Amino acid sequence: MIQASRGRVVTSLCALTLVASGCATEPKSLVAAPVSDVRARDAPVAAGGGGSQAFAAHTESPQVDSAAQSDSQERTLARACGASDAALDRVARDLAASTTGADRLDATALDARLRAAGAPYVWPRAWRFDGAESEFDVARARMQRWLASFSAAGARRCGVALVRAPGARFTAFVVAVDVLADLEPVPTRVRIGQWVDVRARVHVPADAAKLVVLGPRGAPHAVPTTFERGYLQARFNADHEGAWLVQVLAAVDGGPRPLLEAWVFAGIEPSADGVAPNAPGEERAGANRDPAAALYEMVNAARVSERISPLTRDARLDELARAHAEAMRAARKTAHDAGDGDLNQRLENAELELNAGENVAHAANAVLAARALWASPSHRQNLLFPDFGSVGIGVAADADGTLWVCEIFAPAR
């Protein structure tokens, strides 16, 4: 999320993804995460579907598996990619078992698969290659070019799966992450009211680090955290039933960013749906055929659920939000600057002098956009920020039926 004011932009932590993704600018902090880059026959993998795998008992990293890959070509790809991680291998195999065709990557669902496997990594990337057995060297070269297309901020870890198909063909699946920190085991299931300890080792220089917790309801909040010599310790009380997102954030080279995430389920069994909890008001708003109106209804449902005054739609903010949604669609990326300037620049161009916040997303429909934003600490902070009194909502429909969404929040005018 991002918040901006005339002549000043305060950045905040956020992640950019493809489908069912979101990014926010808020009153506190933002960093843009990379997205999958696929070319030619290299295809993004569909992370949707499935969801039947059981959740790991703990979230931790790294995960070492003594079982080596049995396929020599699979081992070759794994060595060319980077250090292996058993949780990432499980995710790659799950994708191999459930993905067909050249479906679009659903980044939110990809995150969910990592969490179910007990992996705390953020901003994962996924890649697929379909070809003939004779094209294996081509696949390896393309995978290496894909890996080189994004800078490794930390140590790279990978999960690799290779699936044989009739007619001497194969499909390769790769899930890659840049590791800036590792997490000691955090339990997936806890009792209501249980204290949960979180300990992590940060592998890159960091000026500060903290633990942010997003509960089943309410705004995100930081908990008391100690951070010395790259080692973080914190604890929180899971005092309500439901899903809790814990996020390790640090000020690293390039600005503040999330390093690790884990889901903790208090008093309930974890499920794929629990990783993307329903947004307030989605049952009613989902029937609205106007996606902008549906999003507006869900924004206010979120605020009313926390006894915060609802927002009034602002025509000028609507216009700005709609223009930015169209710019994201044209640029094919979820971003606060899609070639049309960041939020601060766009406010200045519109001669609007105000403090403002922005959430952006790309999702299959309005409900999934709202759900992704509600599940994100930085986005929810914008949704529930009490000083906001107005909102502009812009939606640009894509040819594939997905929606590019922009929400701009500001004080009442």
Side-chain angles (χ1 to χ4, degrees):
M1 92 180 162
I2 283 180
Q3 280 199 349
S5 62
R6 181 88 171 168
R8 178 178 65 90
V9 174
V10 182
T11 59
S12 73
L13 300 153
C14 84
L16 304 184
T17 49
L18 287 177
V19 178
S21 70
C23 183
T25 62
E26 58 167 297
K28 297 203 173 177
S29 44
L30 164 135
V31 174
V35 296
S36 294
D37 182 19
V38 291
R39 306 176 189 278
R41 284 179 301 150
D42 307 52
V45 295
S52 60
Q53 71 271 42
F55 268 69
H58 294 85
T59 302
E60 61 184 307
S61 67
Q63 294 187 30
V64 180
D65 193 341
S66 59
Q69 280 118 343
S70 59
D71 188 292
S72 62
Q73 290 184 325
E74 190 174 83
R75 290 196 300 271
T76 298
L77 288 179
R79 286 194 298 268
C81 186
S84 64
D85 183 283
L88 297 178
D89 282 336
R90 288 195 294 273
V91 173
R93 294 189 196 106
D94 188 42
L95 292 170
S98 63
T99 304
T100 59
D103 297 326
R104 181 181 298 273
L105 172 66
D106 182 332
T108 298
L110 179 58
D111 279 338
R113 288 178 184 271
L114 261 67
R115 302 300 167 258
Y121 307 121
V122 298
W123 302 352
R125 302 170 177 88
W127 175 88
R128 185 184 74 241
F129 180 92
D130 299 290
E133 292 282 2
S134 59
E135 296 178 297
F136 177 77
D137 288 340
V138 174
R140 180 174 56 183
R142 288 192 177 179
M143 182 194 72
Q144 291 173 319
R145 287 200 299 272
W146 170 69
L147 291 170
S149 68
F150 47 87
S151 60
R156 177 167 295 137
R157 290 182 192 152
C158 296
V160 175
L162 194 146
V163 180
R164 305 291 177 181
R169 298 188 65 81
F170 76 96
T171 298
F173 294 83
V174 178
V175 178
V177 295
D178 293 333
V179 182
L180 279 67
D182 278 311
L183 184 70
E184 295 184 12
V186 172
T188 299
R189 302 164 179 83
V190 300
R191 302 182 307 276
I192 300 172
Q194 180 175 331
W195 285 92
V196 181
D197 291 305
V198 179
R199 302 181 181 91
R201 173 68 66 182
V202 178
H203 301 310
V204 297
D207 295 330
K210 63 182 178 180
L211 184 73
V212 173
V213 176
L214 180 65
R217 55 173 298 173
H221 63 279
V223 299
T225 305
T226 61
F227 182 62
E228 298 178 356
R229 299 180 181 180
Y231 190 68
L232 176 145
Q233 297 184 78
R235 65 191 327 235
F236 73 96
N237 187 276
D239 56 1
H240 289 87
E241 179 181 274
W244 294 75
L245 172 66
V246 297
Q247 188 180 71
V248 173
L249 297 95
V252 298
D253 184 30
R257 62 161 286 179
L259 305 186
L260 301 163
E261 288 185 354
W263 282 94
V264 176
F265 296 84
I268 63 171
E269 275 299 304
S271 68
D273 291 340
V275 177
N278 290 358
E282 70 173 50
E283 296 83 2
R284 176 179 173 183
N288 196 323
R289 294 186 178 183
D290 178 353
L295 286 163
Y296 175 58
E297 188 171 346
M298 287 182 283
V299 165
N300 278 338
R303 294 176 70 88
V304 170
S305 73
E306 296 300 321
R307 296 180 173 84
I308 301 171
S309 298
L311 305 178
T312 301
R313 284 190 74 172
D314 183 297
R316 295 191 68 181
L317 295 180
D318 275 347
E319 184 179 347
L320 281 178
R322 185 166 50 252
H324 187 61
E326 292 170 353
M328 290 191 296
R329 178 180 60 188
R332 315 303 304 166
K333 66 178 181 179
T334 314
H336 292 291
D337 185 347
D340 56 340
D342 61 23
L343 177 60
N344 193 59
Q345 293 170 317
R346 286 180 272 122
L347 290 169
E348 289 181 353
N349 293 339
E351 298 182 347
L352 292 175
E353 297 188 24
L354 44 81
N355 293 314
E358 181 176 76
N359 286 352
V360 295
H362 181 202
N365 54 52
V367 166
L368 291 180
R371 193 177 293 181
L373 297 174
W374 180 250
S376 163
S378 56
H379 299 90
R380 193 184 294 188
Q381 187 166 339
N382 263 351
L383 290 167
L384 301 181
F385 194 56
D387 290 349
F388 289 145
S390 59
V391 65
I393 297 177
V395 176
D398 211 325
D400 62 2
T402 60
L403 303 178
W404 299 87
V405 173
C406 177
E407 300 172 341
I408 299 178
F409 304 86
R413 293 196 296 140

